[in-house]
């Protein structure tokens, strides 16, 4: 039996007040509903891929990597992290290395894209491909297409005098040191740890060119 002189509000009133307050602060059921699915915007894009003009109809959100692998079936370019951290997807766009998972296909309209399939063929290897084989610059090979495309881009950067974080003098022609090559190739990860042999392969090609 409750003594109303000590508790002017009955337990029943308190429970009703608590329930009303909880209902007032509850998240409306509609807030958890999934966002409406938007219709993809499709765009036509033409790329020069390995010397051949290719026109694709792609969702504008399609990365260059997915356009190459899923639309053109050029699976030599690998998808590792899909967020710009491993370098497995590196290709050359207008001769410059690009991580294709961070570039949209539509951003590259009209560009000249070179993948590992376009660098050389089994019977006519690109010098960098041949050097990787000679120096054992790979084990499982998953990172290798990206490493080779990146290495070709690195030598072009050095030839054009682009400095790196490892350059002692950013106004001078970069030197072909192992430190320079390691710094420039640092965006290309190799879980097999073939780094030393990769540097040897690049050094050989660079030496052959100078
Ligand atoms: Fe593009 Fe890893 S897949 S950087
Ligand atoms: Fe296996 Fe580089 S060769 S990850």
């Amino acid at each position: 039996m409750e003594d109303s002189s000590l508790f002017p509000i009955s337990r029943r009133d308190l429970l009703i007040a608590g329930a009303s307050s909880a209902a007032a602060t509850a998240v409306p059921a509609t807030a958890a509903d999934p966002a409406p699915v938007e219709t993809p915007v499709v765009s036509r894009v033409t790329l020069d891929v390995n010397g051949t003009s290719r026109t694709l109809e792609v969702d504008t959100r399609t990365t260059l990597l997915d356009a190459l692998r899923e639309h053109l079936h050029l699976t030599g370019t690998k998808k590792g992290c899909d967020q710009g951290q491993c370098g497995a997807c590196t290709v050359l766009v207008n001769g410059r290395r690009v991580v294709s998972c961070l570039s949209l296909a539509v951003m590259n309209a009209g560009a000249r894209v070179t993948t590992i399939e376009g660098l050389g063929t089994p019977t006519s290897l690109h010098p960098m491909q041949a050097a990787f084989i000679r120096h054992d610059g790979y084990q499982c090979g998953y990172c290798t297409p990206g490493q080779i495309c990146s290495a070709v881009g690195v030598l072009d950067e050095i030839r054009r005098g682009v400095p790196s974080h490892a350059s002692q003098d950013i106004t001078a022609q970069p030197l072909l040191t192992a430190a320079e090559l390691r710094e420039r190739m640092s965006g290309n990860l190799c879980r097999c740890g073939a780094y030393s042999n990769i540097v040897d392969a690049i050094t050989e090609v660079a030496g052959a060119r100078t």
Side-chain angles (χ1 to χ4, degrees):
M1 193 71 173
E2 293 175 357
D3 181 346
S4 59
S5 64
L6 292 175
F7 301 100
I9 301 174
S10 72
R11 183 184 297 141
R12 186 165 178 280
D13 291 341
L14 198 60
L15 289 173
I16 289 171
S20 327
S21 136
T25 55
V27 177
T30 52
D33 290 348
V37 177
E38 292 176 20
T39 310
V41 178
V42 174
S43 183
R44 175 175 295 209
V45 60
T46 300
L47 310 166
D48 177 318
V49 182
N50 298 333
T52 303
S53 179
R54 308 295 299 264
T55 298
L56 304 170
E57 301 268 349
V58 290
D59 182 324
T60 49
R61 298 165 296 184
T62 305
T63 62
L64 178 58
L65 173 61
D66 285 342
L68 293 170
R69 287 183 57 86
E70 311 299 334
H71 293 255
L72 297 176
H73 308 297
L74 291 169
T75 53
T77 304
K78 301 301 184 220
K79 182 181 281 190
C81 64
D82 206 19
Q83 49 186 298
Q85 295 185 0
C86 74
C89 64
T90 306
V91 297
L92 297 168
V93 175
N94 295 329
R96 310 276 167 91
R97 56 192 179 139
V98 163
V99 279
S100 58
C101 68
L102 290 189
S103 184
L104 297 176
V106 292
M107 292 163 56
N108 295 285
R112 184 165 43 86
V113 180
T114 307
T115 69
I116 192 70
E117 292 93 340
L119 271 186
T121 65
T123 52
S124 177
L125 294 175
H126 184 281
M128 193 65 76
Q129 292 172 311
F132 265 63
I133 293 171
R134 260 195 307 280
H135 289 272
D136 241 356
Y138 55 89
Q139 285 182 36
C140 76
Y142 195 81
C143 72
T144 312
Q147 299 276 6
I148 290 175
C149 287
S150 196
V152 171
V154 161
L155 292 191
D156 181 60
E157 285 167 17
I158 292 177
R159 182 184 55 75
R160 289 185 289 111
V162 178
S164 81
H165 188 65
S167 303
Q168 297 293 317
D169 178 355
I170 62 169
T171 62
Q173 178 65 27
L175 301 172
L176 269 164
T177 61
E180 274 282 358
L181 295 180
R182 284 181 183 277
E183 165 61 22
R184 289 170 193 268
M185 293 294 292
S186 61
N188 290 83
L189 306 184
C190 174
R191 286 197 171 86
C192 299
Y195 297 113
S196 299
N197 294 358
I198 289 171
V199 169
D200 289 347
I202 302 173
T203 303
E204 182 195 290
V205 176
R209 281 186 174 180
T210 53

